[in-house]
């Protein structure tokens, strides 16, 4: 396969470094250790191509995906002849490459939401101008860009006049307009279609795109060519699917906005029109592994848009090892390289149950011998499956063991992460009075609260103030000290109204806490100033576009709303406010590229919390890099460093670390060493507490791409699916005939990894994959 495709010198260097000897996919791929290095390989290949094609046509991606591509490209250009720059160039076969000059390249914008103001920081037009035209010193005159404000519409009008609600009804392409406004809209849609055709023609007149770089969406979309797009599609105005809207919700300020926005995108044929084009798809993290496998191993198919790159001899995928983990090549390599481990035995037997749709006790020795992977198990015998089943039973036994006299510190990157990951496990722990429980959310989580939610809450607060329903503001000392007191009472009041099924009472409880937050943030000293501040915040938010970065004080207000929600969840089980710790680590800023955790600013607060709580068990999210929000991975690294520092001052040989996952990524059964049975009652508690307490999240403005609704439903589905996997091994009767009621009542399972400190730090270090030398 490798010999059939022309590899560039840079690609040869990275291929040698990767150790890959066999590529059996329909599009060649290269793998690197981590996300930053994915940026390095892409930057090296881009600069190699640009040096050979100084007047070429390029199309580069937007969003978080190209963060390290941009940083490495700039770094190499600025350090081309420095010692460090020369070392990198030598290592990756750029030593004899002439330093590229980028100013004469023609930049083609890949896609854009429509309509969106080009002045908005979350428009791709703004991104392209900031990071590529200015950042790379490209020619603005040569650039072919998508500016919603300048696309001509009927009667020379602006899109705000033609589409006042910013919704474009594409059915007008095919039906008669019902009124004068619809006639204007229809004429405008035809004009946009014409503009798209001319955009396409401009690209083709230049011979097509010479260098294309793009990410891949959860449904496999390339640019905005979603699942089902025609493999010969051109530039066009089009709708998107739910998965794409869910991913875009973060850029646009919520699914409410992204679901109603159309997009203008170059097509799959636009990308592949030039037969000599270098077209590269980059993907990081295990969460992308299945769509990467489908895109690389399936024949040309509109269900997998990236298969269109099969048309190009220079089509490539550049992947982190996590993103490549499900490729047949990777699975073969996993089993064939290194020593055979018990994990390999477990994985191969569990996978065989799924493959043959057979329960474990029905697997025959011949089944094991005839399978590519189970046939490799050393000392294969009739007893092999029984040993795997016994191992799984031991994991369940660990999950049902009673814990006593523990000091528990459950941590999460965002509010709701702990609940969505291991709530049923925590409720078991809290039923034992000898256990002491603490909860800590490490970031403010403000990006998950929409402007609309805050505006509605503040309007309710004003109304209640006018009606005299927030009585605490009338106390003489409220604005001096009173605002700090009785926070537990806020929580108790709110949950009492939940029990009473009194939605107005719940809103009042939230508004009480919002008043306290406003007094703290804005240092308010009287009722008049309180009203003025509420009006000011409402005014700022109403004049902000969806997805705009908020001023820092409004970020804090949003974060404090989420903190109240977290306190409510744990108060369900009698946990006091003082045992819920809000760390608000500083790397979490709401910027498109968030910084790495800082050892002093972000690690010290975690160490301080350890000293204060002195836990015997710490739980944390153990998501691999590039899977789910990057906040998860950054919090993991900050926590690992905090544990390491704490271990220097205290003997932690007895400390246990619980690594869990939730809606963003899940453990496979062979990866976990503890399995927790989940009953229907547990699921109801999780669903109810989520719906009643996470008010800002119930409408799912930033949903998972796998479900159009609450995250709690996604978590429940994962638990049910995990039970199905284990039932295939152990049989259903193991569960419903079990001696223990907890196991008999299980209709879902939670997997997690229980580690000592040494194991955890080794795991965290493995995830980090030694990114010294990376930017």
């Amino acid at each position: 396969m490798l010999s059939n495709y022309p590899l560039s010198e840079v690609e040869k260097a990275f291929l040698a470094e990767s150790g890959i000897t066999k590529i059996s996919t329909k599009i060649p791929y290269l793998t690197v250790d981590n996300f930053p290095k994915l940026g390095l390989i892409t930057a090296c290949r881009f600069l190699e191509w640009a040096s050979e094609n100084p007047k070429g046509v390029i199309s580069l991606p937007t969003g978080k995906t190209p963060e390290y591509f941009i940083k490495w490209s700039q770094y190499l250009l600025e350090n081309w002849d420095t010692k460090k720059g020369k070392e990198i160039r030598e290592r990756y076969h750029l030593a004899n490459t002439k330093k590229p000059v980028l100013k004469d390249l023609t930049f083609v914008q890949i896609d854009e939401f429509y309509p969106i103001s080009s002045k908005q920081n979350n428009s791709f037009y703004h991104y392209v101008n900031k990071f590529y035209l200015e950042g790379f010193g490209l020619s603005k005159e040569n650039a072919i860009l998508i500016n919603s404000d300048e696309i001509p519409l009927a009667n020379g009008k602006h899109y705000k006049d033609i589409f006042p609600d910013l919704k474009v009804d594409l059915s007008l392409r095919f039906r008669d307009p019902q009124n004068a406004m619809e006639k204007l809209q229809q004429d405008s849609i035809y004009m946009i279609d014409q503009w798209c055709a001319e955009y396409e023609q401009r690209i083709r007149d230049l011979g097509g795109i010479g260098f294309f770089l793009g990410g891949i969406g959860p449904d496999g979309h390339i640019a905005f060519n979603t699942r089902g797009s025609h493999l010969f599609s051109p530039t066009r105005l089009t709708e998107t699917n739910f998965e794409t809207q869910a991913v875009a919700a973060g850029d646009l300020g919520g699914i409410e906005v992204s679901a109603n926005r159309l997009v203008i995108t170059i097509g799959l044929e636009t990308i592949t029109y030039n037969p000599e084009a270098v077209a590269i798809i980059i993907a990081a993290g295990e969460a992308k592994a299945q769509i990467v496998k489908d895109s690389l191993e399936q024949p040309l198919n509109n269900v997998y848009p990236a298969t269109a790159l099969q048309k190009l001899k220079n089509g490539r995928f550049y992947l982190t090892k996590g993103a490549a983990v499900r490729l047949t090549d990777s699975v073969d390599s996993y089993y064939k390289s290194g020593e055979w481990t018990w994990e390999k035995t477990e994985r191969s037997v569990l996978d065989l149950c799924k493959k043959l749709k057979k329960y474990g006790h029905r697997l025959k020795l011949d089944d094991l011998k005839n399978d590519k992977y189970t046939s490799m198990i050393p000392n294969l015998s009739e007893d092999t499956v029984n040993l795997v089943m016994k191992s799984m039973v031991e994991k369940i036994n660990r999950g049902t063991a009673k814990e006593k006299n523990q000091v528990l510190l459950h941590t999460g990157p965002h509010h709701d992460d702990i609940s969505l990951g291991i709530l049923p496990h925590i409720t078991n722990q809290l039923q034992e009075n000898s256990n002491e429980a603490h909860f800590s959310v490490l970031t403010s989580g403000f990006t998950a609260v929409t402007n609309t939610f805050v505006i509605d809450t503040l309007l309710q607060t004003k109304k209640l103030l006018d009606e005299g329903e927030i009585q605490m503001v009338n106390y003489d000392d409220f604005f001096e000290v009173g605002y700090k007191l009785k926070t537990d009472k806020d929580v108790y009041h709110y949950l009492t109204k939940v029990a009473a099924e009194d939605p107005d009472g719940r809103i009042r409880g939230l508004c009480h806490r919002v008043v306290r937050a406003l007094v703290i943030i804005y240092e308010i000293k009287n009722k008049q100033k309180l009203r003025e501040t509420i009006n000011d915040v409402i005014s700022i938010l109403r004049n902000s576009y969806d997805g705009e970065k908020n001023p820092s004080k409004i970020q804090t207000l949003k974060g404090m709303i989420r903190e109240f929600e977290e306190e409510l969840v744990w108060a369900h089980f009698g946990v006091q406010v003082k045992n819920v710790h809000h760390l608000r680590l500083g790397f979490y800023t709401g910027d498109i590229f968030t910084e790495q955790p800082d050892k002093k600013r972000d690690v010290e607060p975690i160490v301080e919390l350890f000293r204060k709580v002195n836990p015997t068990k710490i739980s944390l999210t153990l998501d691999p890099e590039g899977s789910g929000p990057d906040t998860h991975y950054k919090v993991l690294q900050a926590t690992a460093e905090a544990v390491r520092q704490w271990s220097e001052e205290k003997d932690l040989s007895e400390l246990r670390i619980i690594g869990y996952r939730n809606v963003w990524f899940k453990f496979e059964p062979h990866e976990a060493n503890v399995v927790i049975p989940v009953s229907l009652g547990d699921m109801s508690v999780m669903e109810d507490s989520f719906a009643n307490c996470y008010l800002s999240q119930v409408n799912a403005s930033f949903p998972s791409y796998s479900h159009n609704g609450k995250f709690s439903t996604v978590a429940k589905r994962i638990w049910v699916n995990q039970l199905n996997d284990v039932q295939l091994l152990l049989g259903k009767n193991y569960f419903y005939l079990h001696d223990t009621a907890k196991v008999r009542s299980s209709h879902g399972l939670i997997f997690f990894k229980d580690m000592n400190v040494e194991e955890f730090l080794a795991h965290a270090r493995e995830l980090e994959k030694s990114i010294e030398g990376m930017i």
Side-chain angles (χ1 to χ4, degrees), residues 600-619:
K600 185 168 179 63
R601 180 195 61 200
D602 298 316
V603 175
E604 277 189 13
I606 307 175
V607 179
E608 275 300 316
L609 181 63
F610 292 163
R611 292 182 187 127
K612 178 180 175 183
V613 172
N614 201 20
T616 57
K617 288 193 173 184
I618 298 170
S619 75

Side-chain angles (χ1 to χ4, degrees), residues 313-571:
K313 64 182 179 183
N314 291 314
R316 301 283 187 273
F317 269 59
Y318 292 171
L319 308 166
T320 64
K321 286 182 177 173
V325 77
R326 289 197 181 179
L327 294 175
T328 302
D329 295 339
S330 299
V331 178
D332 284 349
S333 175
Y334 165 80
Y335 283 113
K336 290 174 183 174
S337 61
E339 62 175 329
W340 188 272
T341 61
W342 177 250
E343 186 185 272
K344 290 181 181 180
T345 297
E346 275 197 332
R347 178 178 171 180
S348 60
V349 170
L350 282 155
D351 285 350
L352 184 61
C353 287
K354 279 200 223 177
K355 213 180 296 177
L356 301 180
K357 294 184 173 60
K358 269 190 179 183
Y359 290 114
H361 63 273
R362 290 190 177 154
L363 284 179
K364 301 285 188 280
L365 185 57
D366 280 350
D367 292 328
L368 300 175
K369 287 179 175 177
N370 292 331
D371 180 69
K372 179 160 65 164
Y373 302 129
T374 52
S375 61
M376 298 167 66
I377 297 173
N379 306 315
L380 194 60
S381 72
E382 298 278 359
D383 203 34
T384 299
V385 177
N386 288 333
L387 289 171
V388 174
M389 292 169 73
K390 184 181 173 189
S391 170
M392 185 59 66
V393 168
E394 286 170 0
K395 294 179 185 184
I396 294 171
N397 289 341
R398 281 198 286 276
T400 53
K402 195 86 170 165
E403 294 176 272
K404 294 185 176 181
N405 302 308
Q406 301 292 330
V407 180
L408 309 158
L409 175 58
H410 295 292
T411 73
H414 306 95
H415 309 82
D416 73 22
D417 275 327
I418 305 169
S419 174
L420 293 169
I422 49 172
L423 181 62
H425 173 55
I426 293 169
T427 57
N428 292 340
Q429 294 173 325
L430 293 176
Q431 284 163 4
E432 170 56 50
N433 283 335
S434 67
N435 292 332
E436 176 189 332
H438 293 259
F439 300 86
S440 181
V441 177
L442 278 73
T443 70
S444 169
F446 58 81
T447 57
V449 182
T450 63
N451 291 351
T452 303
F453 181 85
V454 178
I455 291 168
D456 290 346
T457 303
L458 291 176
L459 289 172
Q460 290 278 4
T461 305
K462 269 176 69 175
K463 180 172 176 287
L464 290 168
L465 283 169
D466 291 342
E467 294 169 354
E469 290 294 315
I470 301 183
Q471 293 157 357
M472 62 185 182
V473 298
N474 297 320
Y475 298 152
D476 291 340
D477 66 346
F478 176 74
F479 292 98
E480 281 69 50
V481 296
Y483 66 89
K484 300 177 189 174
L485 308 176
K486 298 188 177 179
T487 49
D488 278 300
K489 186 181 176 185
D490 289 347
V491 170
Y492 188 77
H493 167 92
Y494 181 98
L495 293 181
T496 300
K497 299 306 179 185
V498 169
E501 298 185 6
D502 177 359
D504 292 338
R506 286 194 307 164
I507 294 294
R508 187 176 162 214
L510 171 62
C511 293
H512 266 77
R513 181 55 73 90
V514 166
V515 167
R516 294 184 193 276
L518 289 167
V519 172
I520 292 167
I521 297 164
Y522 292 92
E523 300 178 356
I524 294 167
K525 296 302 180 189
N526 55 60
K527 287 190 280 187
Q528 180 60 29
K529 186 64 178 169
L530 175 61
R531 288 173 189 279
E532 290 172 6
T533 303
I534 290 172
N535 288 330
D536 286 347
V537 174
I538 290 172
S539 175
I540 290 168
L541 292 176
R542 279 181 171 162
N543 289 308
S544 301
Y545 55 81
D546 292 306
E548 182 176 359
K549 184 179 175 181
N550 297 129
S552 61
K553 287 186 176 180
I554 293 180
Q555 288 181 347
T556 305
L557 176 62
K558 287 183 170 184
M560 289 179 80
I561 289 171
R562 297 224 69 194
E563 289 166 2
F564 178 55
E565 293 174 340
E566 194 72 14
E567 290 166 10
L568 292 171
V569 170
W570 305 119

Side-chain angles (χ1 to χ4, degrees), residues 253-307:
I255 191 80
E256 301 88 348
V257 184
S258 59
N260 290 308
R261 281 287 191 285
L262 300 190
V263 294
I264 292 174
T265 181
I266 61 173
L268 295 172
E269 176 69 3
T270 323
I271 296 167
T272 58
Y273 175 75
N274 177 356
E276 300 298 316
V278 172
I280 299 166
I281 301 299
I282 53 176
E286 291 180 43
K288 291 280 177 74
Q290 187 59 47
I291 193 60
V292 164
K293 174 182 173 67
D294 292 333
S295 299
L296 284 175
E297 296 184 356
Q298 294 286 342
L300 207 60
N301 189 329
N302 68 342
V303 176
Y304 303 109
T307 57

